[in-house]
Amino acid sequence: MYVSREKSSVLESASTPSDGKWIDPTAFLAVPGLVLCVCHVDGTILQVSAAWEEVFGCRPKGALADLIHPEDVAALKQQFGPPKSRSARIKRPDGSYQQVVWSAHEPGDGHVYNHFVLAQEDEVEKTLSTLQAIVSNAPVAIAVLDSDGTTRIWNNQARRLFGGELPKEIEKVLSRVLSGDEINDLPVTIKRGETRVDLSVSASTILGSVVLACDDVTDRNAFERQLKQLNRKLEQRVSERTSELQAANQELEAFCFSVSHDIRTPLRAIDGFSRAVIEDYGDVIGDVGRSYLSRVRSASQRLSDLIDSLLRLTRLTRQELARNHVDLGEVAREVALHLQVGAPERSVEFQIAHSLPAYGDPRLLQVMLENLFGNAWKFSSPREHTIIEFGRDEDSFFVRDNGVGFDPAFSSRLFQAFERLHSNAEFPGDGIGLATCHRIVTRHGGSISAVGILGEGVTIRFSLQEMEA
């Protein structure tokens, strides 16, 4: 028969009731499963519970010490005072002994109430053997020492680290613990021969003994030092790359300034003098001469437009993103209205989803939609009735038109600057629009792609990075 330790709480509540009223523990003598023996303070047995008689088959008389195994009699000296628990063996009528866990309670009424929890001896030995194996093979060095420093328990890791003798550094920790300190994860370095060993030491006093646990963190510390060194190198490389990037941006700004002023000046001169020759000497140079000069002027103006587009593209790389919540559906309707006002004679149907929430720089996202809608508007101009659709499916936003489309074999060229799949005579442009869209989407942590069929239209898909939680 095995009696649960939970029964002990019944007796403890009798000695220390929560409402302050003392309860006679003898009232619990009839509690099923509660093995209780009431003794006088001199150790004489006065009463036993029904569970005692059931377990041991008798109602004992005399002194409790007579029922205790001789080797366990010394425990009687510790039965007074606060409740304590110890292992003991109680004699049965047939002379055999029953292993128990024994708790003694003295509420101050002249009696001692002894509570016993039965345990199978083989279970106790098995538990002790398991605990010993766990302690012996633990990866942390464990040692249990008496107050005078005598070692009672060493596990395998402790023998490996200390070789049977505590280093001076650990003895200092032991002195602190004996003085009342409790040590948790104290870094200590010891020497083992010519090798330095880093330890994380924890120690405290338990039942009058010092329990010492030392974790060998030498490899971990070495790894952390190496990691810190790598981080310093990485920070240095990032700093160097940042400096290089800043220098490149400064060079780009200088180039843009040069393009804006130094190159544009001769272009204006070419255009201006060509116009002057046409106006002042048009009769002299004839129709052919005027045609040539008109082409010169047209080329210079087109080059000026390309410079403007290139500058706008470079500014997208330099400016900071000001992210916010944006309804792309609302932005798209404004862009569509602007296009319709500019060409009211065209029959164009815009199919724009009611709400298309996104997170990004509102100004740049508007520039992107102006380019996407502008392309759809331009390349669908040959149609009698144009349909431009803007919405979102599971993975991405999309802009779809029923325009002239393109050959899928050349789709990889669409998002490169100055790459055009149609001649300027068919559809005027500078080849910067989709490159601008690609730059904006990339800066927003997304992706963009195009699917087209020649003569049937184009679908542009793009995604944007979601707002971080």
Side-chain angles (χ1 to χ4, degrees):
M1 177 181 180
Y2 179 79
V3 182
S4 170
R5 290 178 181 270
E6 296 176 358
K7 298 292 185 181
S8 65
S9 63
V10 178
L11 186 59
E12 291 175 9
S13 66
S15 302
T16 56
S18 59
D19 59 3
K21 297 180 181 179
W22 185 82
I23 302 174
D24 184 0
T26 60
F28 298 99
L29 288 173
V31 174
L34 185 62
V35 182
L36 181 63
C37 177
V38 183
C39 298
H40 190 271
V41 291
D42 63 3
T44 302
I45 298 174
L46 301 177
Q47 298 182 69
V48 295
S49 65
W52 174 286
E53 295 187 47
E54 180 183 350
V55 170
F56 293 106
C58 66
R59 180 178 292 273
K61 297 179 180 180
L64 179 60
D66 296 337
L67 301 178
I68 307 298
H69 192 284
E71 296 179 0
D72 302 332
V73 171
L76 278 170
K77 299 178 182 179
Q78 302 177 6
Q79 72 171 331
F80 303 108
K84 299 178 180 178
S85 296
R86 64 195 65 81
S87 178
R89 287 162 287 180
I90 303 294
K91 182 187 291 186
R92 294 178 179 273
D94 61 2
S96 63
Y97 285 90
Q98 168 67 51
Q99 188 78 34
V100 298
V101 177
W102 171 22
S103 299
H105 303 265
E106 185 182 10
D109 62 347
H111 297 157
V112 177
Y113 299 86
N114 299 278
H115 172 242
F116 300 93
V117 177
L118 309 187
Q120 299 296 333
E121 187 172 357
D122 57 343
E123 292 181 2
V124 174
E125 291 179 356
K126 182 179 180 181
T127 301
L128 292 175
S129 176
T130 301
L131 291 175
Q132 183 177 5
I134 292 173
V135 172
S136 296
N137 298 290
V140 177
I142 299 175
V144 180
L145 306 99
D146 291 331
S147 57
D148 61 358
T150 303
T151 303
R152 294 171 54 192
I153 298 175
W154 288 88
N155 73 345
N156 296 334
Q157 182 71 348
R159 293 188 184 91
R160 187 186 70 82
L161 278 178
F162 306 134
E165 183 178 358
L166 288 179
K168 294 181 180 179
E169 294 83 0
I170 302 299
E171 290 181 351
K172 293 179 181 178
V173 175
L174 179 62
S175 300
R176 288 179 54 183
V177 175
L178 292 175
S179 299
D181 292 347
E182 184 171 335
I183 307 299
N184 291 304
D185 299 324
L186 178 70
V188 175
T189 300
I190 65 173
K191 281 190 175 182
R192 192 172 59 194
E194 298 298 324
T195 305
R196 292 168 55 91
V197 179
D198 296 330
L199 302 176
S200 177
V201 180
S202 298
S204 61
T205 302
I206 301 177
L207 299 177
S209 298
V210 177
V211 178
L212 186 70
C214 302
D215 189 9
D216 186 349
V217 295
T218 306
D219 293 340
R220 185 175 71 188
N221 288 352
F223 175 77
E224 290 177 353
R225 288 192 294 271
Q226 183 180 12
L227 185 61
K228 289 179 180 178
Q229 184 178 5
L230 291 174
N231 284 337
R232 285 194 295 268
K233 291 182 178 179
L234 179 60
E235 290 173 359
Q236 182 179 357
R237 291 181 62 184
V238 170
S239 177
E240 292 173 352
R241 292 293 177 86
T242 301
S243 299
E244 293 173 0
L245 182 59
Q246 290 174 345
N249 283 337
Q250 291 176 353
E251 292 178 1
L252 182 59
E253 290 177 1
F255 169 75
C256 292
F257 180 84
S258 175
V259 168
S260 299
H261 297 82
D262 300 341
I263 298 180
R264 201 183 296 274
T265 299
L267 284 177
R268 284 197 297 266
I270 292 172
D271 181 60
F273 282 113
S274 297
R275 184 181 60 183
V277 171
I278 292 173
E279 292 176 353
D280 298 340
Y281 300 98
D283 296 339
V284 176
I285 60 176
D287 293 339
V288 175
R290 287 193 299 270
S291 176
Y292 288 163
L293 288 176
S294 295
R295 292 182 182 181
V296 170
R297 290 194 63 200
S298 178
S300 65
Q301 291 167 2
R302 175 166 171 73
L303 181 57
S304 180
D305 292 339
L306 287 174
I307 290 173
D308 290 337
S309 298
L310 183 60
L311 291 175
R312 285 195 298 270
L313 185 62
T314 57
R315 292 191 190 102
L316 293 177
T317 304
R318 302 201 310 271
Q319 65 188 32
E320 293 290 332
L321 292 180
R323 295 178 185 265
N324 208 334
H325 296 282
V326 185
D327 184 356
L328 293 183
E330 182 178 344
V331 176
R333 281 184 283 274
E334 293 179 2
V335 173
L337 180 61
H338 178 74
L339 291 171
Q340 288 174 319
V341 170
E345 72 281 358
R346 285 191 57 181
S347 174
V348 179
E349 177 185 351
F350 285 97
Q351 298 177 359
I352 300 174
H354 175 68
S355 177
L356 294 170
Y359 184 70
D361 188 310
R363 185 169 51 85
L364 292 182
L365 294 180
Q366 180 172 352
V367 171
M368 179 186 65
L369 289 182
E370 287 174 351
N371 279 282
L372 293 178
F373 273 59
N375 274 2
W377 180 276
K378 177 171 59 177
F379 291 110
S380 62
S381 58
R383 305 301 185 198
E384 292 185 5
H385 181 70
T386 296
I387 299 176
I388 298 175
E389 183 182 358
F390 180 42
R392 182 174 187 173
D393 52 24
E394 294 181 358
D395 300 322
S396 59
F397 300 93
F398 63 87
V399 176
R400 182 180 295 122
D401 64 66
N402 63 338
V404 298
F406 64 87
D407 187 342
F410 301 105
S411 59
S412 61
R413 295 168 48 188
L414 279 179
F415 299 100
Q416 299 178 16
F418 306 117
E419 288 286 348
R420 308 190 74 243
L421 302 185
H422 301 277
S423 67
N424 198 58
E426 291 179 291
F427 300 101
D430 52 24
I432 293 295
L434 289 181
T436 299
C437 294
H438 183 270
R439 188 72 56 87
I440 292 173
V441 169
T442 302
R443 292 206 62 193
H444 282 79
S447 61
I448 188 168
S449 61
V451 176
I453 300 177
L454 197 61
E456 296 186 15
V458 174
T459 299
I460 304 289
R461 292 186 175 274
F462 66 91
S463 62
L464 303 173
Q465 188 178 42
E466 299 290 340
M467 179 181 178
E468 294 183 0

